[in-house]
Amino acid sequence: MGAVDHPNVPGLWSSAKLSYLMGLWVNLNHTTGVTFILLGFSEYPDLQLPLFLVFLSIYTISVLGNLGMITLIRLNPRLHTPMYFFLSHLSLVDFCYSSVITPKLLENLLVEDRHISFANCISQFFFACICIITETFMLAAMAYDRFVAVCNPLLYTVAMSPKLCSVLVAASYFWGIACSLVFIYFLLTLNFCGTKVINNFVCEHAAIVAVSCSDPYLSQLSIEIFAIFNEISSLGIVFTSYVFIFVTVMRMPSTRGRYKAFSTCASHLTAIIIFHGPILFLYCVPTTKSSWLLVKIASIFYTVVIPMLNPLIYSLRNKDVKQAAGRLISSQLSCQKS
């Protein structure tokens, strides 16, 4: 029998990949004229100015609180510990998160033209995803830090070495960027046409795919898989850490020791609850027309309010932070007098 010629597999693979990339490029070209209208809270015209003032106040407190926390931790050597290292990065993520979302929200509360280009909408979604996923795993890393501090206090400085802390923080940022790139990739495979109304104040995934002109199944499937994995894995770390913390604390003989151990975890546990609560709520609420108001309120809470609450929680409930802030203010006042 004569030899059968095998097809050029590498050549076919290269051609298929090139065709796919060309198709993606065509999709990108088709989106150049696409614009979205962020509906926001435009159905409540009488509330536009009061909402603007409320959100402006929240954003101002958020920026000052998070930048102040970062500055305080950097300037005070007593706060150069693993817990405050994580807290400084949490404040950085919260500052970036609120700055990605809130300025556009404030602008749309003042102007009639609520248009946003396709590129700007996708960019907002991309950076918001990085922040929220990074914060998810930053809080999980902080739970592990509290576990080591309470359950292995003698080995704390050795176990939570600067290298390990840097790796945990870098991994949180890396995973946030990687997930966001996957989401953007699947969004860019969708077709969008003309001007579409997004029934939200932010370019959120469900709202974006709702106005696409093609089947968003793969895009929705990808974000659901990653969202479930991120929630289960991060909350699994938090839950496991606090189970061991609870068992260790309950074995302590003195009531004072128990109170001190619980107080070191109170701020972090509060931050965990207010962060994951709205996210889990959004997963449970179906995206029907009647539920969009609830979705907006929950979105406001975790995109605008939480970045403001975190520095308040860690400053008002933390003696070290309050003492460091007091010393910094006193030194500044003494410098001005001299």
Side-chain angles (χ1 to χ4, degrees), residues 49-103:
L49 184 57
L51 286 175
F52 173 81
L53 295 175
V54 169
F55 293 144
L56 179 62
S57 301
I58 292 174
Y59 181 58
T60 303
I61 296 171
S62 176
V63 170
L64 294 177
N66 285 296
L67 291 182
M69 183 69 73
I70 295 170
T71 304
L72 194 64
I73 293 171
R74 290 289 184 267
L75 293 179
N76 197 306
R78 294 186 181 183
L79 300 182
H80 292 176
T81 63
M83 184 180 79
Y84 294 108
F85 175 74
F86 290 122
L87 182 55
S88 66
H89 283 278
L90 182 69
S91 295
L92 176 62
V93 171
D94 280 335
F95 167 72
C96 294
Y97 194 21
S98 61
S99 297
V100 167
I101 302 297
T102 313

Side-chain angles (χ1 to χ4, degrees), residues 31-43:
T31 60
T32 53
V34 174
T35 57
F36 298 131
I37 299 174
L38 293 174
L39 193 60
F41 298 95
S42 57
E43 63 265 41

Side-chain angles (χ1 to χ4, degrees), residues 175-205:
W175 185 243
I177 294 171
C179 291
S180 302
L181 286 173
V182 173
F183 301 154
I184 291 297
Y185 170 79
F186 282 104
L187 272 181
L188 293 179
T189 62
L190 300 178
N191 290 320
F192 296 90
C193 45
T195 300
K196 298 291 184 179
V197 176
I198 292 180
N199 191 11
N200 210 328
F201 64 92
V202 62
C203 290
E204 182 257 340
H205 185 269

